[in-house]
Amino acid sequence: MNDATLIRKNLFRKRLRAILLMVSILVAFLIFGVLGALQNAFTAGTGTAAQERLVTVNRINFTVALPYAYWGRIQQVEGVRNAAPASWFGGYYQEPQNFVQSFAVDPETYLEAYPNEIVLPPEERAAWLEGRTCAIVGRALATQYGWSTGDRIPLMSNIWQNTDGSQAWELDICGVFDDTEGTYPTNYLMLHYEYFNESLAFGRDSFHWITINTTDPALNDQVSQEIDALFANSSAETSTTTEAAFNEAFMEQFGNIGLILTWVIGAAFATILMIVGTTMVMAVNERTREIAVLKTLGFTAPRIFRMVLWESLLLSFLGGLIGLGLASLAAAAASGALAGFLPSFGLSLTNVVTALVLMAALGIVTGLLPAYNAMQVRISEALGKI
Amino acid sequence: MTDASALYQLKGLSKRYTRGKETVAIFDGLDMTISQGDFIAIMGPSGSGKTTLLNLLGGIDKPSSGEVVFEGQRIDNLSQGRLAKWRAKNAGFIFQFYNLMPTLSAAQNVELPLLLTSLSGKARKERVKTALDIVGMVDRAGHRPGQLSGGQQQRVAIARAIVADPKVLLADEPTGDLDRTTADEILQTLQLLNKELGKTIIMVTHDPEAASYAARELHLNKGRFEEKGKA
Ligand SMILES: Nc1ncnc2c1ncn2[C@@H]1O[C@H](COP(=O)(O)OP(=O)(O)OP(=O)(O)O)[C@@H](O)[C@H]1O
Ligand SMILES: [Mg+2]
C-alpha cells in the first residue's frame, strides 16, 4: 500500500458518484475530440503551398462564374507563372447521395499548379492529357467506389445539363492519383474542361476559379492587386486572395467551425467544472474526520493537499482519456463513412496535447479548493465533534 | 527540574479559550511529570479538559502558555510540520470511536503510520503482522472495519497505534463504546503493552473499573490534578 492506494480508494469510495463524474468528464472530452476531428477535416489540405498560391474568383461569390477570356488575360499579367482554370461539376455517381467532389479543369495547367497534391504515373498522366473523355480520380475516391483505370463511368451533375438533354457525362478513368506525402486529400475527381464545356446545354465558356502560381511568392500581393484592377468596373469583377484564405472563406459557408467549436467546448467544460468542482468539495468535506485521523497519525498538511489534488487529477485523466479514446474510435468509424465529404477525419497531435493540457487543468482547478480545505482541517475540531 | 526517567514534563501549562468576550481557562499553571513506562488513567467530569490535555501531550494542540517537554525537548513550540513528524515517530493514538478508514482493510489501516517511515514494503508487512498478532487480530487482517465488531475495531486501532513503535500511547476513552467483557479484554491488552513492551500509556476514562487497570489514577478537576492512591 502507498499514497496512490489511498487516493484510488478515496476516489472510488462511492462508486456510482465516481462513475457519474467520470462519465460527465468523458462526455466533455468526447465532444472535444469529435469536434476537433471535424475541424481538422474541414481545414485539411491547407498546407504551406496554399499560402503561396493565389485564387481568383468572382467578386460577388465563388459560385458565380467568370468569363473564359479572363484566363488568357490573367496569364498575361506580369509575375504569373501558371494559371489553372476550373469549374464546379457537382457530381454524383448513380444516386444523388453518392456525392463525388468533381471539377472540370484544364489538365496541363492544373497538374502544374498542384505538383504535390496530384501525383500520377507518367503513362496515366500522358493518357489524361491526351484523352478528351478521360478523368482522373484520387486514391480515396477510387477505393470508395471501387473504380480503377480503364473503367467507364457515367458521372451525373446536379448543376449542369448535357446537350443531349441528360445530366450525365460519360468518363473514362485514365488514372488514379496519389499525393506525395499522404497529407492532402485524394477524395475528388477531375475531368477535361474542354469536354465538359463543349457539351454544356447552358453556361458555356465560363469557369468558377483560377488557381495562380506566381514566379515569386513575394510578388503575390502585387499580382493579386493587378488582376483585380484589370477587371475592376467590368460586369464580372474579381477577387484574388491566397488559396489558404479562399479555403477558409469556403469553409465559412458551413458556419464558423472554429467559433462553434470554442463555444460548445467552452460550455461543456464550464458545466463539468462546476459539477466536478462542487462534488469534489462535498466528497472531501464528508471525509473531514478521516483527514483529521491521517493528520493525527503524522501525515503533513502538504501531503494531504497533494493526495486530494492527485485524486481530482486521477478522476480528470480517467474520464478524459476514455472520452478521447472514444472520440478517436468514433472519428475512425466516421472517416470511412464520410470519406467522400471529409478526408482526414481524425485527431491530430495538437488535439491530443490540448486535451491532455485540459485534463490537467480540469484536475487542478477542481482539486485546489477541496485540497486546500483538507489541508486546513483542524484535528481537535474535527475529532471533537462526533 | 530535570528527571532522567521523565518522559513528559509539563511546566506551568495553561490553556485558555475565548468565547465571545469571556476567556475561559481550562488549565492555569499545570505542572506534572510523567515517567517512562507509566500507565496513567485520567478521570474527571465532562468538560474538565481531559481531551484537551491529551491533545497537548500528543502535539495536536498547543498550550496558551507553559511548556510541554518530551524527553528533554520542548514540543509546544514546534511548527505544524515538525509536530506531524514528531507524532508519527513518538505517539500512538487510540480513540473512543476507533476512527479506522472504512475503505481500507484491517491490515491496511495498521499499515498507515508506516507510510510515513522509510521501511520497505516487505518490512512494513512484517510489522503489520506483528502488531495484529499482539492484539490477536491476524485472522481478520483482510476484513474491513464495517465487517468487524466494535471490540475488534478497537484492537485494530491499537495495532495501528503501536505499529510504528512509539514511546507513548494516548487513549481517549478507549472502552467508552464497548460492553464490559470487551472493555476488559481491551484493557488487558493495554496493560500487556505497558508491562511487556514498556509503552507509556495515558488513558482518559470515565469508568473507574477501567481506571483500575492503570498504575496511577489522576483526577482532573477545575484545572488541577488530584492523585488517588490505589486501593
Ligand atoms: N476549540 C474550542 N473552543 C472553545 N472551547 C473549547 C474548545 N475545545 C474545548 N473547549 C472547551 O474546553 C473544555 C474542556 O474540553 P474537553 O474536550 O477537554 O473536555 P473533556 O474533559 O474531554 O470532556 P468529556 O469528558 O466530555 O470528553 C470544555 O468546556 C470545552 O467546551
Ligand atoms: Mg473528552
Side-chain angles (χ1 to χ4, degrees), chain A residues 1-3 5-6 9-10 13 289-290 293-300 303 378-380 383 386, chain B residues 55 60-61 81 84-85 87-88 93 95-97 99 101-104 108 111-113 115-116 124 160:
Chain A
M1 185 176 71
N2 49 36
D3 283 10
T5 319
L6 291 176
K9 296 234 175 198
N10 279 334
R13 101 176 17 215
R289 197 177 171 81
E290 287 172 35
V293 171
L294 286 179
K295 282 188 149 187
T296 307
L297 297 181
F299 283 73
T300 59
R303 186 165 180 157
R378 294 190 41 154
I379 300 172
S380 53
L383 292 184
I386 303 165
Chain B
N55 285 346
I60 286 171
D61 224 344
K85 290 198 174 70
R87 288 196 297 272
F93 294 86
F95 309 91
Q96 179 175 0
F97 295 104
N99 283 335
M101 301 289 152
T103 53
L104 302 181
Q108 286 173 322
E111 195 182 347
L112 274 178
L115 297 184
L116 305 167
R124 293 205 303 253
R160 179 178 67 183

Side-chain angles (χ1 to χ4, degrees), chain A residues 114-361:
Chain A
Y114 294 101
N116 295 320
E117 287 81 351
I118 303 162
V119 180
L120 276 170
E123 65 280 5
E124 293 186 358
R125 182 188 173 95
W128 188 41
L129 292 176
E130 285 304 306
R132 217 170 46 92
T133 57
C134 265
I136 56 170
V137 296
R139 182 72 57 197
L141 187 64
T143 310
Q144 190 185 355
Y145 290 114
W147 296 334
S148 53
T149 307
D151 287 356
R152 169 163 266 248
I153 57 157
L155 190 67
M156 313 289 284
S157 171
N158 54 33
I159 306 175
W160 309 104
Q161 202 167 24
N162 203 315
T163 41
D164 66 12
S166 78
Q167 288 184 306
W169 271 259
E170 288 289 325
L171 299 175
D172 293 304
I173 294 175
C174 300
V176 175
F177 65 87
D178 293 287
D179 69 307
T180 40
E181 297 149 36
T183 52
Y184 301 104
T186 56
N187 64 332
Y188 54 100
L189 172 152
M190 279 168 294
L191 61 147
H192 273 251
Y193 177 79
E194 271 180 44
Y195 169 53
F196 158 76
N197 189 47
E198 71 188 18
S199 46
L200 278 178
F202 61 87
R204 272 192 206 179
D205 294 333
S206 64
F207 48 81
H208 287 110
W209 75 92
I210 295 186
T211 305
I212 296 160
N213 307 90
T214 53
T215 49
D216 179 354
L219 297 174
N220 279 2
D221 279 348
Q222 190 191 322
V223 170
S224 24
Q225 277 165 24
E226 228 166 285
I227 292 171
D228 292 345
L230 199 59
F231 306 110
N233 302 318
S234 74
S235 60
E237 295 194 337
T238 60
S239 160
T240 306
T241 58
T242 64
E243 191 181 304
F246 172 73
N247 285 344
E248 215 166 278
F250 177 73
M251 290 312 165
E252 297 268 317
Q253 69 176 321
F254 301 105
N256 188 333
I257 303 284
L259 192 68
I260 295 169
L261 196 73
T262 311
W263 276 101
V264 171
I265 291 171
F269 276 82
T271 313
I272 54 163
L273 209 64
M274 285 188 287
I275 295 174
V276 178
T278 44
T279 312
M280 277 299 291
V281 168
M282 271 166 25
V284 171
N285 274 350
E286 288 166 13
R287 301 207 297 263
T288 300
R289 197 177 171 81
E290 287 172 35
I291 291 163
V293 171
L294 286 179
K295 282 188 149 187
T296 307
L297 297 181
F299 283 73
T300 59
R303 186 165 180 157
I304 285 172
F305 182 88
R306 281 198 299 273
M307 280 169 65
V308 175
L309 203 57
W310 276 117
E311 186 180 332
S312 73
L313 279 167
L314 178 65
L315 175 70
S316 180
F317 274 94
L318 276 178
L321 289 175
I322 296 173
L324 204 62
L326 289 179
S328 69
L329 285 182
S335 73
L338 294 175
F341 297 96
L342 297 170
S344 59
F345 191 91
L347 289 167
S348 68
L349 185 64
T350 316
N351 292 142
V352 174
V353 171
T354 312
L356 291 175
V357 170
L358 279 174
M359 286 172 214

Side-chain angles (χ1 to χ4, degrees), chain B residues 47 50-52 172-173 204 206:
Chain B
K50 304 181 295 295
T51 298
T52 306
D172 199 347
E173 299 186 38
V204 166
H206 279 292

Side-chain angles (χ1 to χ4, degrees), chain B residues 70-150:
Chain B
F70 181 85
E71 292 192 316
Q73 280 195 316
R74 282 182 68 174
I75 61 164
D76 57 90
N77 54 6
L78 294 179
S79 70
Q80 290 301 332
R82 282 183 174 278
L83 267 181
K85 290 198 174 70
W86 179 88
R87 288 196 297 272
K89 185 168 178 288
N90 296 294
F93 294 86
I94 301 163
F95 309 91
Q96 179 175 0
F97 295 104
Y98 333 122
N99 283 335
L100 298 173
M101 301 289 152
T103 53
L104 302 181
S105 69
Q108 286 173 322
N109 266 289
V110 175
E111 195 182 347
L112 274 178
L114 299 181
L115 297 184
L116 305 167
T117 66
S118 54
L119 290 175
S120 71
K122 191 165 162 280
R124 293 205 303 253
K125 280 221 161 59
E126 274 167 25
R127 287 262 209 130
V128 168
K129 190 168 176 293
T130 309
L132 284 172
D133 204 17
I134 290 171
V135 298
M137 286 294 291
V138 175
D139 55 335
R140 302 294 163 98
H143 289 224
R144 264 184 303 193
Q147 302 166 313
L148 299 173
S149 73

Side-chain angles (χ1 to χ4, degrees), chain A residues 281 284-285 291 295 305 368-377:
Chain A
V281 168
V284 171
N285 274 350
I291 291 163
K295 282 188 149 187
F305 182 88
L368 272 181
L369 182 61
Y372 178 79
N373 288 347
M375 189 173 87
Q376 293 292 317
V377 165

Side-chain angles (χ1 to χ4, degrees), chain B residues 144-163:
Chain B
R144 264 184 303 193
Q147 302 166 313
L148 299 173
S149 73
Q152 290 172 327
Q153 288 188 58
Q154 195 61 302
R155 289 179 176 282
V156 174
I158 292 171
R160 179 178 67 183
I162 60 171
V163 74

Side-chain angles (χ1 to χ4, degrees), chain B residues 155-201:
Chain B
R155 289 179 176 282
V156 174
I158 292 171
R160 179 178 67 183
I162 60 171
V163 74
D165 200 20
K167 300 214 170 61
V168 63
L169 295 182
L170 300 166
D172 199 347
E173 299 186 38
T175 57
D177 197 42
L178 302 173
D179 61 54
R180 185 75 263 149
T181 325
T182 316
D184 284 333
E185 285 167 15
I186 293 292
L187 289 159
Q188 277 157 20
T189 304
L190 288 178
Q191 208 168 41
L192 182 103
L193 293 172
N194 174 247
K195 292 212 168 108
E196 305 291 324
L197 300 179
K199 299 285 173 211
T200 306
I201 300 177

